[in-house]
Amino acid sequence: MASFRTTGRLGPSGRNWIAATPEDFAPAFEQALAAHLAEIEAIADNPEPASFANTILAMEGAGEALDKVLSVFFSVAGADSNDARQALQRDVSPKLSAHSSAIYANARLFGRVADLWARREELGLSDEEARVLYLTHRGFVRAGAALEGAEAERMKAVKSRLAVLGTAFTQNLLKDEATWFMPLSEDDLDGLPGFVVDAARSAGEALGQEGPVVTLSRSLITPFLQFCPRRDLRQTAFEAWASRGANGGETDNRGIAAEVLALREERAKLLGYADFASYKLETEMAGTPDRVRELLMQVWEPARAQALRDAAEMEEMLREDGINDALQPWDWRYYAEKRRRALHDLDEAELKPYLQLERMIEAAFTCANRLFGLEFRPLDVALYHPDCRAWEVTRNGRHVSVFIGDYFARGSKRSGAWCSSTPTPRGSGSKVEW
């Protein structure tokens, strides 16, 4: 499932983002990057002494056009990827990294931030302003703003390469998910609840197959592993799921993962950290790797003991089914579901009819209305994919945003339940212009 709360328009190109193509996005990126860099240069070159308003607040307000283009492109690229969008993503990722590096490496800009940080006790800042200054200064330092010479140049190269690798990793994973499927015969459907059978048939139709199939979409493979009584089919599906990005060929992510780990380590050490974990955790609640390990070890033994007890009970159920073998990873979900039904008389297949999509949407909107006074009116507009639906969101008759719900899995959309914000169409009230 994906959903979008829209809040503005597509930036420099002025085009309706719903209809935007890679040909629209490419110049929009270029214009937005140039505009943001010009805003940053103006802040850095301000002849007035640094103040919270003319430096920190000015930086916070810069880059509005770039934010709009980025939010639109990456939302649509994640929800409806295709070859053209993936190519543009590969092209723009190193440019975005270089853009970020140019900002953080701007010595004049960092000088203003560092000056404010040194004088922070004298500035009379509110708690909120002090926090923003702290985060801004910390962000510059952690990005390598204090590095000089060869170390600064190497940091730029490392971050650029990480951006390229991150894009490649994600696209390889999506390609493996989108291209693998396992055909099912009518006999293979025996024992599967109706909603899984329907999903398999729909997946087969979407792929142009003559019959039902299992794909690596999380919303299909997870219930298939949970309910399929055929152990051989579960094994085939699970091994395909577990080996995404590790099948050899152009989509194999193992080399990418190794290089990412090495570059993360190098980046951390350039900044003076012992390792990447220390760098990463500095800004998190735990703070240090030792505290994370301490927490993990507190739960490891009891969690492992309970998992072993669960596994022993499920393995006994496996043997009751006439299988003289150890419990395998592709057995876990199936026997966990059987165990749940046996212990609690709780069958997910029987619950499904009470969780119909239309009723869940209605419940979510009703809750939003009761809590926040929001109202939702269906919109008949062209969207980026036929699966999508849109509603105008209002409060007391005034336009708030447009909500787009994208509720179904497909090969072009990354797995999981997620949401993001994008620029909105213009208009309000009873008329919305896209």
Side-chain angles (χ1 to χ4, degrees):
M1 184 185 106
S3 60
F4 304 92
R5 182 178 61 83
T6 58
T7 54
R9 280 182 73 85
L10 174 61
S13 72
R15 291 286 306 276
N16 168 2
W17 73 266
I18 292 295
T21 67
E23 290 73 24
D24 296 316
F25 277 113
F29 270 123
E30 296 297 333
Q31 293 176 44
L33 287 168
H36 187 211
L37 200 58
E39 290 173 321
I40 292 298
E41 288 292 334
I43 297 168
D45 291 337
N46 189 337
E48 298 293 325
S51 69
F52 185 84
N54 69 21
T55 302
I56 306 301
L57 282 184
M59 289 169 57
E60 289 288 312
E64 181 180 357
L66 181 59
D67 288 343
K68 288 182 178 181
V69 178
L70 288 173
S71 67
V72 170
F73 176 73
F74 283 103
S75 291
V76 177
D80 191 26
S81 179
N82 57 34
D83 290 343
R85 287 176 181 145
Q86 289 189 8
L88 180 56
Q89 199 170 355
R90 291 192 296 271
D91 179 63
V92 78
S93 289
K95 294 180 180 179
L96 291 173
S97 176
H99 179 74
S100 175
S101 293
I103 293 173
Y104 285 116
N106 188 315
R108 304 183 311 283
L109 184 64
F110 180 54
R112 297 177 72 87
V113 174
D115 173 57
L116 291 171
W117 178 248
R119 297 187 292 111
R120 59 189 180 277
E121 301 298 337
E122 309 166 7
L123 300 177
L125 302 178
S126 67
D127 291 343
E128 292 80 3
E129 291 169 338
R131 176 67 174 169
V132 173
L133 174 58
Y134 164 72
L135 294 174
T136 303
H137 180 262
R138 186 181 71 179
F140 269 83
V141 173
R142 286 171 57 83
L147 297 178
E148 298 178 347
E151 289 185 337
E153 291 303 313
R154 180 57 187 163
M155 178 62 79
K156 291 181 186 178
V158 166
K159 290 195 291 186
S160 178
R161 181 60 178 163
L162 283 171
V164 172
L165 293 173
T167 299
F169 188 99
T170 300
Q171 292 186 357
N172 287 346
L173 194 64
L174 181 63
K175 186 173 291 186
D176 274 5
E177 287 189 3
T179 55
W180 186 91
F181 64 89
M182 178 175 67
L184 300 174
S185 69
E186 291 301 315
D187 290 342
D188 296 336
L189 301 176
D190 289 346
L192 292 173
F195 75 91
V196 180
V197 173
D198 291 343
R201 293 193 190 283
S202 296
E205 292 175 4
L207 292 172
Q209 300 299 302
E210 295 183 358
V213 303
V214 172
T215 70
L216 296 183
S217 168
R218 190 183 303 273
S219 61
L220 177 51
I221 194 168
T222 297
F224 180 80
L225 292 171
Q226 188 175 354
F227 292 104
C228 178
R230 286 274 303 277
R231 196 181 192 222
D232 58 332
L233 297 180
R234 295 200 309 268
Q235 179 177 356
T236 299
F238 180 87
E239 289 178 341
W241 172 254
S243 65
R244 292 168 301 154
N247 292 305
E250 64 178 10
T251 62
D252 197 298
N253 275 333
R254 288 171 290 187
I256 291 176
E259 188 177 354
V260 165
L261 291 174
L263 290 173
R264 284 178 172 179
E265 188 85 356
E266 182 179 359
R267 178 172 66 178
K269 290 184 175 178
L270 281 170
L271 294 170
Y273 295 89
D275 47 46
F276 179 75
S278 299
Y279 164 79
K280 180 65 176 177
L281 290 168
E282 181 186 49
T283 61
E284 306 298 329
M285 183 181 295
T288 67
D290 288 342
R291 293 185 65 185
V292 171
R293 178 171 291 277
E294 179 184 352
L295 174 62
L296 290 175
M297 296 312 295
Q298 287 176 17
V299 301
W300 168 249
E301 287 300 334
R304 181 175 182 273
Q306 182 60 54
L308 290 175
R309 288 192 293 270
D310 291 345
E313 292 185 24
M314 288 188 284
E315 191 165 294
E316 183 61 30
M317 300 177 79
L318 177 75
R319 298 188 192 284
E320 290 173 359
D321 284 345
I323 302 172
N324 187 24
D325 190 12
L327 190 75
Q328 299 294 337
W330 46 88
D331 298 320
W332 191 278
R333 282 186 172 88
Y334 177 72
Y335 284 99
E337 177 63 24
K338 287 190 69 172
R339 182 169 174 263
R340 180 171 65 171
R341 290 200 300 269
L343 291 176
H344 308 294
D345 193 23
L346 183 62
D347 187 343
E348 184 175 323
E350 293 184 7
L351 294 176
K352 277 286 183 179
Y354 299 95
L355 301 173
Q356 297 174 16
L357 176 60
E358 293 302 323
R359 301 286 75 78
M360 299 308 296
I361 294 173
E362 180 183 344
F365 287 174
T366 298
C367 183
N369 177 261
R370 293 175 63 185
L371 289 175
F372 309 113
L374 299 176
E375 297 181 337
F376 298 81
R377 179 179 65 87
L379 292 173
D380 182 14
V381 292
L383 300 169
Y384 61 84
H385 193 277
D387 286 349
C388 300
R389 299 160 64 180
W391 294 263
E392 183 185 13
V393 185
T394 60
R395 181 188 288 115
N396 298 324
R398 296 179 60 86
H399 175 80
V400 175
S401 68
V402 171
F403 178 82
I404 300 173
D406 185 356
Y407 299 106
F408 300 101
R410 54 180 175 271
S412 63
K413 184 168 71 172
R414 61 185 173 93
S415 296
W418 50 276
C419 64
S420 59
S421 296
T422 65
T424 192
R426 288 183 293 206
S428 62
S430 61
K431 183 177 182 181
V432 178
E433 299 176 352
W434 295 80

